[in-house]
Each structure stands twice: as C-alpha cells, then as structure tokens.
Amino acid sequence: MPEMPEVQGLVDFLREKLLPPGAPPAVISDVEVPSFAVLKTADVPLDELKSAPVSGVERRGKFIVLSAGGVHLVMHLAKAGWLRWSDALKPGRLRPGKGSMALRVRFAPGAGVPGDKTSNDGGAEPGFDLTEAGTKKSLAVYLVRDPSDVPGIARLGPEAFDVDFETFAGLVAGHRGQIKGLLRDQSVIAGVGNAYSDEILHAAHLSPFATAAKLKPEEVSRLFEALRAVLESANANASGRPAAELKDSKRRAMRVHGRTGELCPVCGDTVREVSFADSSLQYCPTCQTGGKLLADRRLSRLLK
C-alpha cells in the first residue's frame, strides 16, 4: 500500500507536471471512470472538472487531493492502487470493464511535457491513470467541494511530523491495543501503514504486539525517534523520483518489511513473518522480541 512518503512523492510529481513554475497551470480536458464502483460520490458532477485549470495538488494522510474549478478530486490508492503518468495518452475513450483501470484524467495538450508546457495546439493529451491490481477492489475516488467531506479525511489524526514528543507519549499511553495497531490507525497519526510501521518498530527494537500503554518511557522515546527517522529517510528516498520509480525504490529501502527469510541487516538473524487473513507483518526476533518467535496466526502470542 502506498503510504505517506510515496503519496507525497506522487503529489510532488503531479505538482511539477500540472503546476509548472513560470507557466500556466494544466487544464483538465476529460475525466473517465471505467470502473464506476471507484467513484464514491454523486453530489458533484464530473463535468465540473472539464476545462478547469488545476489550482492545487496536496496530500492529506494517504489521500491525494487534486483541486480544479473550485472542486476537489480526492484519491485513495488503498492496498493495490497506483498512479501512472503519460505525456501522451492514447486517443479514444476507455471501455468499462473489470480490468485494472479505475480512472483516467486527461489534460490539454502540452501539460507536463518538458519544453512545451504552454502548448495547446491539438497535439497529444498528457494525463494519468489510476490502476488497481488484484480482484479485491478498494481504490476510492471522491469529487467534493470540500476535502473534509470525504469520511476518511474527516477522521484523520495529525500528520506524523506535526506530533511532538509530549503529544505522542500521550497518544501511546492512552491506547489500549498493540503498538503496531496504533501506528497504523489513521485517526491517531496520519500517513503510516503496514510497511512503515514494520520498519519503525524494527528501528525502535519493539515487538509489533507490545501493548502500547505498557511501554516504558525509554521505549516510547525510542519509538518516537524511530518514527521520525524512518519517515524522514523514506521521504528523502521518494523526493524527486518519477511516479514510475517510487514503488521499486520503496521496496529496495525496506530492512524487514517484505524481507521474510532474508537476513536482518542489523544483527544477521532471519527476518520472520506473521500472516493474517489479508495482510502480513515482518520482524526480526533478535532485534525486537528477545529471540522469541511470534506465532503465525491471527491471535498471535509469543511462543513459549
């Protein structure tokens, strides 16, 4: 799932394409929704985006917010969604179907094309597609007059970098569940998902199943420092990369997430996995659980 660093990378990439410094903003020429289930709103018609100049591209948690014509196209890529940019989309409209294509946004010719940012001579239209792999479709798109009209945005907690240590310690102390769940809860801290929570807990030397409220002060301090350090490194890794490179660069930077069976780069132990119905987590026993293995079942406990 794209998380805060990758979503910010996509936002920065789109902003560079659609709001080039010293040139007019890109103008939306068409919006196609071949997967009608992806559009979660009906109050604002898609036609309001047509011929509208882009006025902003922002991130809210793991949401992309593209603003144009006084309305906001809000996109959440969910677990298997992605954004693909093309400087020259193929002509012709998409056919509705059950494939991977969920949304296409076209812009007037010249947008996002280096050296031709102001052209509007009837040439190829640039734009982006939202795609989603797999059969479970969770990608969501909203067209709203206010981003806070999107339920997921309305529920967001503060951004990770906006939380100071005192606030963070209070959030941890007041959470009754496991620390892995706290890090992933968007209503507590926005932007962190399954992958970076694994990386943060590894850096903090904490078990994913440690109870948040029972952490010692020094453990809370390590967790806060790891949160900042991991996300700062991930943001730096994503910064300036084209959209097509963000997923691979994220995978390469992971130390434990997605590394089941490989050696921990810190201690050399084997990275282990706990699988659930629709997700999994990875951890290092030596670094995080005192050498003990976590049972690979939904209600995991430390093996005796």
Side-chain angles (χ1 to χ4, degrees), residues 40 54 96 117-118 201 207 222 227 281 286 299:
K40 306 301 182 183
V54 174
K117 294 182 183 296
T118 60
L201 290 167
S207 167
R222 287 206 314 266
L227 173 74
L281 64 84
T286 295
L299 298 177

Coordinates of all heavy atoms in Angstrom, one line a residue, residues 40 54 96 117-118 201 207 222 227 281 286 299:
K40 N -17.1 7.3 -5.3 CA -17.9 7.1 -4.1 C -18.8 8.3 -3.8 O -19.5 8.3 -2.8 CB -16.9 7.0 -2.9 CG -15.9 5.9 -3.0 CD -16.5 4.5 -3.2 CE -15.4 3.4 -3.3 NZ -16.0 2.1 -3.6
V54 N -6.0 23.5 -13.1 CA -5.6 22.9 -11.8 C -5.1 24.0 -10.9 O -4.3 24.9 -11.3 CB -4.5 21.9 -12.0 CG1 -3.9 21.4 -10.7 CG2 -5.0 20.7 -12.9
P96 N -15.7 0.5 -20.2 CA -16.0 0.0 -18.9 C -15.7 -1.5 -18.8 O -16.0 -2.2 -19.8 CB -17.5 0.3 -18.7 CG -17.8 1.4 -19.7 CD -16.9 1.1 -20.8
K117 N 5.4 23.4 -22.2 CA 4.4 23.5 -21.1 C 3.2 24.4 -21.5 O 2.2 24.2 -20.9 CB 5.1 24.0 -19.9 CG 6.1 23.0 -19.3 CD 6.7 23.5 -18.0 CE 7.8 22.5 -17.5 NZ 7.3 21.2 -17.1
T118 N 3.4 25.3 -22.4 CA 2.3 26.2 -22.7 C 1.6 25.9 -24.0 O 0.7 26.6 -24.5 CB 2.8 27.6 -22.8 OG1 3.8 27.7 -23.8 CG2 3.4 28.0 -21.4
L201 N 9.0 -0.1 14.0 CA 9.2 -1.0 15.1 C 10.5 -1.7 15.1 O 11.1 -1.9 16.2 CB 8.0 -2.0 15.1 CG 6.6 -1.4 15.5 CD1 5.5 -2.3 15.2 CD2 6.6 -0.9 16.9
S207 N 8.6 -5.2 19.8 CA 7.7 -6.2 19.2 C 6.4 -5.5 18.7 O 5.9 -4.6 19.3 CB 7.3 -7.2 20.3 OG 6.2 -8.0 19.8
R222 N 12.3 5.8 22.2 CA 12.9 5.2 21.1 C 11.9 5.1 19.9 O 12.3 5.3 18.7 CB 13.3 3.7 21.4 CG 14.5 3.6 22.3 CD 15.2 2.3 22.1 NE 14.4 1.1 22.1 CZ 14.1 0.4 23.1 NH1 14.6 0.7 24.3 NH2 13.3 -0.7 23.0
L227 N 10.1 6.7 14.6 CA 9.1 7.2 13.7 C 9.6 8.4 12.8 O 9.4 8.4 11.6 CB 7.9 7.7 14.6 CG 6.7 8.4 13.8 CD1 5.9 7.4 13.0 CD2 5.9 9.2 14.8
L281 N 2.9 -9.1 8.5 CA 3.9 -8.2 9.1 C 5.3 -9.0 9.1 O 5.3 -10.2 9.2 CB 3.5 -7.7 10.4 CG 3.4 -8.7 11.6 CD1 4.7 -9.0 12.3 CD2 2.4 -8.1 12.6
T286 N 15.7 -11.3 17.0 CA 16.7 -10.8 17.8 C 16.6 -9.3 18.2 O 16.8 -8.9 19.3 CB 18.1 -11.1 17.1 OG1 18.3 -12.5 17.0 CG2 19.2 -10.5 18.0
L299 N -4.5 -14.4 16.2 CA -4.4 -14.0 17.5 C -3.0 -14.5 18.0 O -2.8 -15.4 18.8 CB -5.5 -14.6 18.4 CG -6.9 -14.1 18.0 CD1 -7.9 -14.8 18.9 CD2 -7.0 -12.6 18.2

